[in-house]
Amino acid sequence: MPASSLQDLKTQLADPHIASKFTQAFAARYFSVALGVLPKGEVDQLVFDCLVEVGLIDPEGPIFAITRALNVQPAKAKGLLFQHQIREPLAYADLDRRILMALGKARFSVDEQRLAFGVESPLVRAAIQARLKALNIFPDISLSGEILRVPVSDLGEFLTSFLGPEDIKRIKARLQKHGDLPKGKLVQLIDEGGKKALEEGGKEAFKAALPHLIDFLASAATTAAPALILKLMGG
Protein backbone atom coordinates (compact mmCIF):
# COMPACT_ATOMS: atom_id res chain seq x y z
CA MET A 1 0.00 0.00 0.00
CA PRO A 2 1.17 3.61 -0.53
CA ALA A 3 3.60 4.84 2.12
CA SER A 4 2.29 7.48 4.53
CA SER A 5 5.70 8.81 5.60
CA LEU A 6 9.39 8.36 4.89
CA GLN A 7 9.66 6.00 7.86
CA ASP A 8 6.73 3.98 6.55
CA LEU A 9 8.41 3.89 3.14
CA LYS A 10 11.61 2.48 4.65
CA THR A 11 9.65 -0.01 6.74
CA GLN A 12 7.78 -1.35 3.71
CA LEU A 13 10.96 -1.50 1.64
CA ALA A 14 12.43 -3.74 4.35
CA ASP A 15 9.86 -6.38 3.40
CA PRO A 16 11.79 -9.00 1.35
CA HIS A 17 9.06 -9.33 -1.29
CA ILE A 18 8.74 -5.56 -1.85
CA ALA A 19 12.51 -5.07 -1.67
CA SER A 20 13.02 -7.76 -4.32
CA LYS A 21 10.49 -6.20 -6.70
CA PHE A 22 11.98 -2.72 -6.20
CA THR A 23 15.56 -3.95 -6.70
CA GLN A 24 14.68 -5.83 -9.89
CA ALA A 25 12.83 -2.83 -11.33
CA PHE A 26 15.64 -0.44 -10.42
CA ALA A 27 18.49 -2.68 -11.62
CA ALA A 28 16.81 -3.47 -14.94
CA ARG A 29 16.70 0.20 -15.89
CA TYR A 30 19.77 1.56 -14.10
CA PHE A 31 22.10 -1.02 -15.66
CA SER A 32 20.53 -0.68 -19.11
CA VAL A 33 23.15 2.03 -19.69
CA ALA A 34 26.78 2.44 -18.68
CA LEU A 35 27.43 2.95 -14.96
CA GLY A 36 27.38 6.63 -14.01
CA VAL A 37 25.78 7.81 -17.23
CA LEU A 38 22.45 8.75 -15.64
CA PRO A 39 22.48 12.23 -14.03
CA LYS A 40 21.24 12.60 -10.47
CA GLY A 41 17.86 13.92 -11.60
CA GLU A 42 17.28 10.82 -13.72
CA VAL A 43 18.31 8.55 -10.85
CA ASP A 44 15.81 10.32 -8.59
CA GLN A 45 13.17 9.86 -11.28
CA LEU A 46 14.05 6.19 -11.62
CA VAL A 47 13.65 5.68 -7.86
CA PHE A 48 10.28 7.43 -7.99
CA ASP A 49 9.10 5.34 -10.95
CA CYS A 50 10.13 2.14 -9.21
CA LEU A 51 8.33 3.17 -6.02
CA VAL A 52 5.19 3.69 -8.12
CA GLU A 53 5.71 0.29 -9.76
CA VAL A 54 5.85 -1.55 -6.42
CA GLY A 55 2.83 0.36 -5.06
CA LEU A 56 4.57 2.54 -2.46
CA ILE A 57 3.62 5.77 -4.28
CA ASP A 58 0.13 6.36 -5.67
CA PRO A 59 0.42 8.55 -8.80
CA GLU A 60 -3.33 9.25 -8.62
CA GLY A 61 -3.20 10.34 -4.99
CA PRO A 62 -2.74 13.83 -3.55
CA ILE A 63 0.58 15.65 -3.92
CA PHE A 64 0.74 16.01 -0.12
CA ALA A 65 0.90 12.21 0.27
CA ILE A 66 3.93 12.10 -2.04
CA THR A 67 5.68 14.93 -0.17
CA ARG A 68 5.13 13.06 3.10
CA ALA A 69 6.30 9.71 1.77
CA LEU A 70 9.49 11.14 0.24
CA ASN A 71 10.06 14.01 2.70
CA VAL A 72 10.47 16.50 -0.16
CA GLN A 73 9.05 19.91 -1.04
CA PRO A 74 5.73 19.97 -2.96
CA ALA A 75 7.51 21.43 -6.00
CA LYS A 76 9.87 18.42 -6.09
CA ALA A 77 6.94 16.01 -5.70
CA LYS A 78 5.03 17.71 -8.53
CA GLY A 79 8.09 17.57 -10.79
CA LEU A 80 8.65 13.86 -10.18
CA LEU A 81 4.97 13.09 -10.68
CA PHE A 82 4.75 15.12 -13.89
CA GLN A 83 7.79 13.40 -15.39
CA HIS A 84 6.34 10.02 -14.45
CA GLN A 85 2.98 10.88 -16.03
CA ILE A 86 4.37 12.46 -19.19
CA ARG A 87 6.51 9.39 -19.91
CA GLU A 88 3.60 7.02 -19.36
CA PRO A 89 2.41 5.52 -22.67
CA LEU A 90 -1.13 6.86 -22.84
CA ALA A 91 -3.31 7.21 -25.93
CA TYR A 92 -4.90 10.61 -26.55
CA ALA A 93 -8.38 9.13 -26.15
CA ASP A 94 -7.41 7.68 -22.76
CA LEU A 95 -5.97 11.03 -21.68
CA ASP A 96 -9.15 12.82 -22.77
CA ARG A 97 -11.20 10.37 -20.70
CA ARG A 98 -8.93 10.91 -17.72
CA ILE A 99 -9.36 14.68 -18.10
CA LEU A 100 -13.16 14.43 -18.14
CA MET A 101 -13.08 12.12 -15.11
CA ALA A 102 -10.92 14.66 -13.25
CA LEU A 103 -13.30 17.47 -14.21
CA GLY A 104 -16.25 15.39 -13.04
CA LYS A 105 -14.69 15.20 -9.56
CA ALA A 106 -13.65 18.87 -9.47
CA ARG A 107 -15.22 21.47 -7.19
CA PHE A 108 -16.46 24.42 -9.21
CA SER A 109 -17.10 28.05 -8.40
CA VAL A 110 -18.89 30.43 -10.73
CA ASP A 111 -18.99 34.19 -11.05
CA GLU A 112 -20.78 36.17 -13.74
CA GLN A 113 -18.16 35.39 -16.37
CA ARG A 114 -15.84 32.57 -15.37
CA LEU A 115 -15.97 28.98 -14.18
CA ALA A 116 -13.17 28.16 -11.73
CA PHE A 117 -11.97 24.68 -10.79
CA GLY A 118 -8.91 23.04 -9.31
CA VAL A 119 -6.84 20.25 -10.87
CA GLU A 120 -3.97 18.76 -8.87
CA SER A 121 -2.60 16.24 -11.40
CA PRO A 122 0.26 18.00 -13.28
CA LEU A 123 -0.38 16.01 -16.47
CA VAL A 124 -4.13 16.61 -16.54
CA ARG A 125 -3.66 20.30 -15.76
CA ALA A 126 -1.05 20.73 -18.51
CA ALA A 127 -3.26 18.86 -20.98
CA ILE A 128 -6.27 21.06 -20.13
CA GLN A 129 -4.21 24.22 -20.57
CA ALA A 130 -2.83 22.99 -23.89
CA ARG A 131 -6.30 22.10 -25.16
CA LEU A 132 -7.69 25.47 -24.12
CA LYS A 133 -4.89 27.32 -25.92
CA ALA A 134 -5.49 25.19 -29.02
CA LEU A 135 -9.09 26.47 -28.93
CA ASN A 136 -7.76 30.03 -28.55
CA ILE A 137 -9.15 30.12 -25.01
CA PHE A 138 -6.67 31.54 -22.52
CA PRO A 139 -7.68 30.72 -18.94
CA ASP A 140 -6.77 32.71 -15.86
CA ILE A 141 -4.39 30.64 -13.74
CA SER A 142 -3.84 31.02 -10.00
CA LEU A 143 -0.37 31.68 -8.58
CA SER A 144 -0.15 28.05 -7.46
CA GLY A 145 -1.05 26.95 -10.98
CA GLU A 146 -3.72 24.58 -9.68
CA ILE A 147 -6.83 26.75 -10.17
CA LEU A 148 -8.03 27.39 -13.72
CA ARG A 149 -10.72 29.90 -14.66
CA VAL A 150 -12.50 29.43 -17.98
CA PRO A 151 -15.08 31.81 -19.49
CA VAL A 152 -18.56 30.34 -18.97
CA SER A 153 -19.36 31.30 -22.57
CA ASP A 154 -16.68 28.82 -23.73
CA LEU A 155 -17.94 25.90 -21.61
CA GLY A 156 -19.48 23.95 -24.50
CA GLU A 157 -16.44 24.22 -26.75
CA PHE A 158 -14.14 23.38 -23.85
CA LEU A 159 -15.99 20.21 -22.79
CA THR A 160 -16.66 18.88 -26.27
CA SER A 161 -12.98 19.29 -27.22
CA PHE A 162 -12.37 16.08 -25.24
CA LEU A 163 -14.95 14.08 -27.22
CA GLY A 164 -14.26 12.06 -30.34
CA PRO A 165 -16.69 11.14 -33.15
CA GLU A 166 -17.69 7.88 -31.44
CA ASP A 167 -18.47 9.76 -28.22
CA ILE A 168 -20.73 12.13 -30.15
CA LYS A 169 -22.55 9.16 -31.73
CA ARG A 170 -23.21 7.60 -28.33
CA ILE A 171 -24.42 10.91 -26.88
CA LYS A 172 -26.66 11.42 -29.90
CA ALA A 173 -28.24 8.00 -29.25
CA ARG A 174 -29.12 9.10 -25.69
CA LEU A 175 -30.54 12.45 -26.85
CA GLN A 176 -32.52 11.37 -29.88
CA LYS A 177 -35.06 14.15 -29.48
CA HIS A 178 -32.41 16.61 -30.68
CA GLY A 179 -32.17 14.90 -34.08
CA ASP A 180 -28.88 15.40 -35.87
CA LEU A 181 -26.15 16.16 -33.35
CA PRO A 182 -22.80 17.22 -34.82
CA LYS A 183 -20.24 18.53 -32.34
CA GLY A 184 -21.15 22.15 -33.13
CA LYS A 185 -24.78 21.49 -32.20
CA LEU A 186 -23.71 19.85 -28.94
CA VAL A 187 -21.59 22.91 -28.15
CA GLN A 188 -24.60 25.12 -28.78
CA LEU A 189 -26.87 22.99 -26.58
CA ILE A 190 -24.45 23.09 -23.66
CA ASP A 191 -23.87 26.86 -23.98
CA GLU A 192 -27.56 27.70 -24.27
CA GLY A 193 -28.52 25.29 -21.50
CA GLY A 194 -25.82 26.62 -19.20
CA LYS A 195 -26.99 30.19 -19.76
CA LYS A 196 -30.57 29.14 -19.03
CA ALA A 197 -29.53 27.26 -15.88
CA LEU A 198 -27.66 30.33 -14.61
CA GLU A 199 -30.59 32.63 -15.33
CA GLU A 200 -33.27 30.38 -13.81
CA GLY A 201 -31.48 28.53 -11.02
CA GLY A 202 -28.45 30.70 -10.32
CA LYS A 203 -24.85 29.75 -9.68
CA GLU A 204 -25.58 26.98 -7.19
CA ALA A 205 -27.90 25.14 -9.58
CA PHE A 206 -25.35 25.55 -12.36
CA LYS A 207 -22.54 24.16 -10.17
CA ALA A 208 -24.73 21.25 -9.05
CA ALA A 209 -25.51 20.29 -12.65
CA LEU A 210 -21.95 20.49 -13.99
CA PRO A 211 -20.49 17.27 -12.50
CA HIS A 212 -23.51 15.32 -13.78
CA LEU A 213 -23.11 16.82 -17.23
CA ILE A 214 -19.39 16.05 -17.34
CA ASP A 215 -19.97 12.49 -16.10
CA PHE A 216 -22.60 12.05 -18.81
CA LEU A 217 -20.20 13.29 -21.48
CA ALA A 218 -17.35 11.15 -20.14
CA SER A 219 -19.32 7.91 -20.10
CA ALA A 220 -21.69 8.71 -22.99
CA ALA A 221 -23.56 5.59 -21.91
CA THR A 222 -26.16 6.75 -19.43
CA THR A 223 -29.50 5.12 -20.23
CA ALA A 224 -31.41 8.24 -19.28
CA ALA A 225 -30.23 11.81 -18.81
CA PRO A 226 -31.24 13.22 -15.40
CA ALA A 227 -33.18 16.49 -15.28
CA LEU A 228 -30.09 18.46 -14.31
CA ILE A 229 -28.26 17.25 -17.40
CA LEU A 230 -31.22 18.03 -19.65
CA LYS A 231 -31.27 21.55 -18.26
CA LEU A 232 -27.68 21.97 -19.41
CA MET A 233 -28.49 20.34 -22.73
CA GLY A 234 -31.25 22.81 -23.44
CA GLY A 235 -33.97 20.24 -22.66
Side-chain angles (χ1 to χ4, degrees):
M1 62 180 297
S4 59
S5 66
L6 185 60
Q7 182 57 51
D8 183 33
L9 182 73
K10 292 189 287 186
T11 299
Q12 292 199 56
L13 277 174
D15 180 282
H17 178 66
I18 296 176
S20 176
K21 289 176 63 178
F22 177 85
T23 302
Q24 290 178 38
F26 181 86
R29 284 175 245 178
Y30 185 80
F31 293 112
S32 65
V33 295
L35 186 68
V37 167
L38 290 179
K40 179 183 181 303
E42 283 297 316
V43 175
D44 288 349
Q45 188 64 52
L46 175 56
V47 170
F48 183 86
D49 293 343
C50 292
L51 289 174
V52 171
E53 188 172 324
V54 300
L56 295 184
I57 295 292
D58 179 9
E60 303 299 327
I63 294 294
F64 179 73
I66 298 176
T67 66
R68 286 279 295 161
L70 300 180
N71 197 23
V72 296
Q73 294 291 327
K76 175 76 170 180
K78 290 178 183 178
L80 290 167
L81 178 59
F82 183 67
Q83 287 300 319
H84 174 79
Q85 291 176 327
I86 204 70
R87 299 176 189 191
E88 181 184 7
L90 191 65
Y92 280 109
D94 294 331
L95 178 57
D96 287 349
R97 193 70 64 239
R98 181 181 292 186
I99 291 168
L100 282 174
M101 289 175 63
L103 290 174
K105 297 176 183 177
R107 297 287 295 272
F108 295 94
S109 63
V110 184
D111 59 22
E112 284 70 21
Q113 296 180 324
R114 294 190 179 273
L115 174 72
F117 55 93
V119 179
E120 190 171 38
S121 167
L123 177 66
V124 171
R125 188 169 63 251
I128 289 175
Q129 290 176 247
R131 189 64 56 86
L132 285 167
K133 290 178 181 178
L135 296 170
N136 205 30
I137 300 171
F138 293 88
D140 291 337
I141 303 172
S142 66
L143 292 177
S144 68
E146 295 181 357
I147 305 296
L148 305 177
R149 295 178 179 84
V150 178
V152 172
S153 59
D154 293 318
L155 177 64
E157 189 172 8
F158 169 54
L159 292 179
T160 58
S161 70
F162 303 108
L163 302 174
E166 291 302 314
D167 298 316
I168 300 295
K169 288 181 182 178
R170 287 194 294 270
I171 292 170
K172 177 181 178 179
R174 304 302 181 219
L175 300 171
Q176 293 178 359
K177 70 187 184 71
H178 289 299
D180 189 31
L181 192 69
K183 185 174 285 191
K185 177 64 174 176
L186 183 58
V187 171
Q188 181 184 350
L189 286 172
I190 294 174
D191 287 344
E192 291 178 353
K195 182 179 179 181
K196 183 178 179 182
L198 275 171
E199 290 174 349
E200 295 183 357
K203 299 173 187 176
E204 293 306 313
F206 182 66
K207 286 192 295 182
L210 269 174
H212 297 283
L213 169 66
I214 294 167
D215 182 61
F216 177 76
L217 296 176
S219 63
T222 307
T223 56
L228 283 173
I229 294 176
L230 290 176
K231 182 176 282 292
L232 280 183
M233 302 294 279

